[in-house]
Amino acid sequence: MKSKIGTFSVIDGLVAPEILSNNLDFLILDSEHGLENSSEQRARFYSSALSGNSEIFIRANSLDRTIIQKMLEIKPHGLLIPQITTLKDAENAIDFSFFPPIGSRGLSPYTRAFDYAADNLNKKKESLNKGLKLGLLIEGKQGMKNLEEILKKFSEHIFLIYFGIFDYSNSLGIEPSLSNEKLINSLKELCDLCHEQKVCVGTIAQSPDDIRKLQKLNIDYIVYKNDSEILIDGIKSFNCT
């Protein structure tokens, strides 16, 4: 598929995601590095989902059953779960995110995910399981080492693998730059593994040139910086002092 362009949203409030969702293919509401609680992310999701045509993902705070469940009750288009380094991490992420028979996600019918009503529960659970776009953030060198095994066992339930360039580069002691051949080779390897299993790939671009490089690598979801840095870039473009 053609690469989609989006960004992370960490700026507090409703306006930034509303503007971004009108102008990008996708948006990730960031609860891992942003300050919003689940109620605030719910409002941000509604604001952005209703105002634009973007896919809206939420990045969960952590690999935690309760946190993941609260984010899924918002019923976003997709959920990204951080801190995936081992096969067990991936297994837990899937277990916490899906209802039986896939996982063990808890159920309350009186939430948005179930239209606040206890009718047709089995049909609703089946629909939610089928519709969930689950993304796993592969962290560091260990995550990359275990990726092939994770995909072989769980690719059926994974929509997206997000490659954390900063964490991976930090674990290797190299600069997080797409001019680094070692980083590019790792991305190529990751793309091949994921696309072979029909799983999408996402990562971050730090410049328009990076976007072009990632498009050539067939990265499916390209995150351009985040909303705070996009704002700073805009200021720098006219501030000549």
Side-chain angles (χ1 to χ4, degrees), residues 38 54 112 192:
S38 56
S54 297
R112 180 176 186 269
D192 289 344

Side-chain angles (χ1 to χ4, degrees), residues 38 67 181 188 225 236:
S38 56
I67 287 171
E181 188 175 344
K188 286 178 180 176
K225 299 187 175 182
K236 287 179 178 178

Side-chain angles (χ1 to χ4, degrees), residues 195-209:
H195 289 159
E196 186 178 319
Q197 298 291 336
K198 297 181 170 53
V199 174
C200 293
V201 179
T203 196
I204 196 164
Q206 301 178 70
S207 69
D209 187 52

Side-chain angles (χ1 to χ4, degrees), residues 6-11 16 20 24 27-28 30 33-34 59 162 166 204-206 223-233:
T7 195
F8 286 109
S9 180
V10 298
I11 297 175
L20 293 165
L24 296 171
L27 182 63
I28 304 170
D30 192 345
H33 298 288
R59 174 154 71 172
Y162 183 89
F166 292 106
I204 196 164
Q206 301 178 70
V223 175
Y224 182 67
K225 299 187 175 182
N226 67 20
D227 55 1
S228 60
E229 191 167 9
I230 290 171
L231 178 60
I232 290 170
D233 287 347

Side-chain angles (χ1 to χ4, degrees), residues 46-65:
Y46 289 156
S47 176
S48 52
L50 292 175
S51 65
N53 295 315
S54 297
E55 285 181 285
I56 311 298
F57 294 81
I58 295 178
R59 174 154 71 172
N61 309 41
S62 63
L63 178 55
D64 177 90
R65 179 186 291 275

